[in-house]
Amino acid sequence: MEGPVLRGRSLRAAARGTLFGRRPRLGLAVRTALAATLAWQLALWLPFTAAETYPYYAPLGAVVGSYTTVRSSIDNSLRAVAGILLGGLLALGAHALLGPGLAVVAVVVFTATLLAGWAVLGSQRSWVLSAAVFVLIVGAQDPVDYVAAYSGLTLLGGLVAVGVNALLPDLPLLQSDRAAQRLADVLADQLDDLAEGLRRDTPPSAREWSARLRSVEPLREQARERDAEVRDSLRANVRARRHRDAVRRRRERVLVLASLALRVEELTALLVEVQNPAEREVAMEAVLRQQVAAALTAAAAAARALGGEDDGDGGDDGGDAGEGGSAAATLREEVRRLSAAVSAAEYTNERDRQTAGAVVTLLRRALGVLRVGRGGTDPDPEAVAPTPWTLPGAEPGAPGARRRRLPRWPRRPRAGRQGRRG
């Protein structure tokens, strides 16, 4: 993997050097306040009666359009204005057909509620109903001017918010790094807890195993969300363009950790099931348990190293260098020893053999994921590499990667049809 000019450590140091990098909510508050103030002043300068009457809709539009990224500011501003126009036109049409009265209110509210379910409006769908009701109540004296002022000034405020975001863009690198670190730490803690349980002379009870289980899924989703925010922040972000390589490597690390989390969950479920005292007949022998525990401890160290390393610090070739590479090498050696022990062990029944083989396979899959995270490309007989469509940089839409389609379940043809085109 080619090393970038700007290393992850220097990038992270630059982010820590700014107050907004440490406090992203503070940066958003400053940008929102600045955008609202500018929008208010611009509205007061406009030579229109409607702007003089309803100038507060400009700062409202700025607040609506203030998001952490330029793209989200544009999307939400346009959707809010679309919702306002939709609701406003609905109210104008209903008022022209039905005139004032209770009937027009019922019709407008009913129809606006239905239109608010339009998926295109996204999170701004509530503006349809709000605008429709406001036109009937607040703008009853001059509804056309009111709709024009409402939508136009909101759009003005949204444009100001987009401009402020473009001038002072956010790049939430620290938040992404912290989410990845938390995920790596909980995976390592889970592996350590499993290893400690296996080292005991008597396997833990079902309740004791339950106390050792960690909740991985929320942290995995959080890491993915932070990664998505970072990638989204690159769009229309002039300051972030030179950091695309560093952001790409961050995404690769999140993908590796997410894949490792699946392996850890599978391994946890298997070990808890076969090491329950109620199922002693499928429990591994003490010697194998010690070997598995040693491999789990090595895997925990490798997971921590992967979560805590700086992007680009592993050398220009992305090879197994540094603490992370040493931990991965230790895991590889432990997996090799465990595989040899499992092959040489004597089993009283076939289930014991299958259980031990399944544990080895899962650890080999975890080793394969970690090797991908360290940039390893040479074949390794002790590792099972992830499937091609889960490799970082090989998923659909990745920069510089061939597009691959995920495998699909075969569809059952509908009655009267031979099939459907994809």
Side-chain angles (χ1 to χ4, degrees):
M1 186 180 297
E2 185 176 353
V5 176
L6 182 60
R7 293 299 185 193
R9 179 171 295 172
S10 61
L11 182 59
R12 181 179 295 184
R16 286 202 182 104
T18 64
L19 181 60
F20 295 162
R22 298 190 301 270
R23 297 289 185 268
R25 175 60 60 173
L26 178 60
L28 177 61
V30 170
R31 292 193 299 272
T32 303
L34 178 59
T37 303
L38 292 176
W40 179 279
Q41 187 59 58
L42 288 175
L44 294 178
W45 285 342
L46 292 177
F48 303 109
T49 303
E52 295 175 356
T53 307
Y54 309 106
Y56 43 82
Y57 285 127
L60 176 63
V63 172
V64 171
S66 292
Y67 280 78
T68 55
T69 66
V70 178
R71 182 188 180 188
S72 58
S73 291
I74 296 174
D75 288 346
N76 285 279
S77 295
L78 293 178
R79 288 174 178 174
V81 173
I84 292 172
L85 283 174
L86 193 59
L89 293 176
L90 171 64
L92 288 176
H95 186 273
L97 292 175
L98 303 176
L102 294 178
V104 70
V105 174
V107 170
V108 166
V109 171
F110 176 81
T111 308
T113 302
L114 293 179
L115 292 176
W118 194 13
V120 174
L121 299 175
S123 61
Q124 306 300 323
R125 63 186 63 190
S126 61
W127 287 103
V128 179
L129 184 56
S130 300
V133 173
F134 281 6
V135 170
L136 292 179
I137 299 175
V138 181
Q141 298 300 322
D142 197 349
V144 175
D145 286 350
Y146 181 79
V147 171
Y150 197 175
S151 58
L153 292 175
T154 302
L155 178 60
L156 173 64
L159 292 176
V160 172
V162 171
V164 170
N165 259 3
L167 292 175
L168 302 173
D170 188 23
L171 189 62
L173 296 174
L174 284 181
Q175 289 69 48
S176 177
D177 288 343
R178 289 169 180 170
Q181 181 66 68
R182 284 192 294 268
L183 176 58
D185 287 343
V186 77
L187 292 178
D189 291 341
Q190 179 68 88
L191 291 168
D192 280 337
D193 283 345
L194 291 175
E196 196 277 332
L198 291 176
R199 288 191 175 99
R200 294 175 51 172
D201 294 334
T202 302
S205 65
R207 178 173 297 179
E208 291 174 326
W209 275 122
S210 178
R212 296 169 183 269
L213 300 182
R214 306 300 179 97
S215 181
V216 175
E217 181 61 25
L219 292 177
R220 181 170 57 203
E221 290 303 316
Q222 187 180 70
R224 287 173 171 171
E225 289 173 1
R226 299 292 87 78
D227 172 68
E229 289 176 1
V230 171
R231 288 186 287 114
D232 193 42
S233 68
L234 294 178
R235 301 175 184 268
N237 187 338
V238 178
R239 182 174 66 90
R241 289 177 180 174
R242 63 182 180 273
H243 301 324
R244 289 187 183 275
D245 286 341
V247 172
R248 175 180 54 79
R249 289 193 304 277
R250 276 173 166 79
R251 187 188 189 195
E252 291 176 355
R253 182 170 61 181
V254 169
L255 290 173
V256 168
L257 286 171
S259 182
L260 180 62
L262 294 176
R263 306 290 84 79
V264 172
E265 287 180 328
E266 293 171 350
L267 188 59
T268 300
L270 175 62
L271 290 176
V272 169
E273 288 171 359
V274 303
Q275 288 300 309
N276 191 318
E279 299 289 344
R280 288 183 183 275
E281 67 272 18
V282 297
M284 290 179 292
E285 296 296 331
V287 175
L288 288 183
R289 289 204 304 270
Q290 297 301 318
Q291 291 281 2
V292 172
L296 293 175
T297 300
R304 284 197 179 91
L306 179 63
E309 68 183 6
D310 289 325
D311 293 326
D313 289 348
D316 290 347
D317 58 354
D320 294 344
E323 180 182 353
S326 176
T330 301
L331 173 59
R332 183 185 183 281
E333 181 61 22
E334 292 297 341
V335 171
R336 186 192 65 78
R337 292 176 182 173
L338 174 62
S339 178
V342 167
S343 299
E346 296 181 359
Y347 303 94
T348 58
N349 56 65
E350 189 62 25
R351 279 197 300 181
D352 284 0
R353 183 188 303 275
Q354 293 172 352
T355 298
V359 171
V360 172
T361 298
L362 287 175
L363 283 170
R364 282 176 168 172
R365 295 179 70 188
L367 177 61
V369 170
L370 290 168
R371 278 183 55 79
V372 170
R374 296 299 305 169
T377 57
D378 297 333
D380 187 346
E382 301 300 335
V384 177
T387 48
W389 53 83
T390 63
L391 287 174
E395 70 282 5
R402 294 174 55 191
R403 296 183 61 87
R404 293 177 171 86
R405 292 186 180 272
L406 295 178
R408 295 181 178 180
W409 292 104
R411 292 181 176 178
R412 180 179 300 174
R414 294 184 179 180
R417 298 180 61 182
Q418 296 299 321
R420 297 177 60 184
R421 288 191 301 174

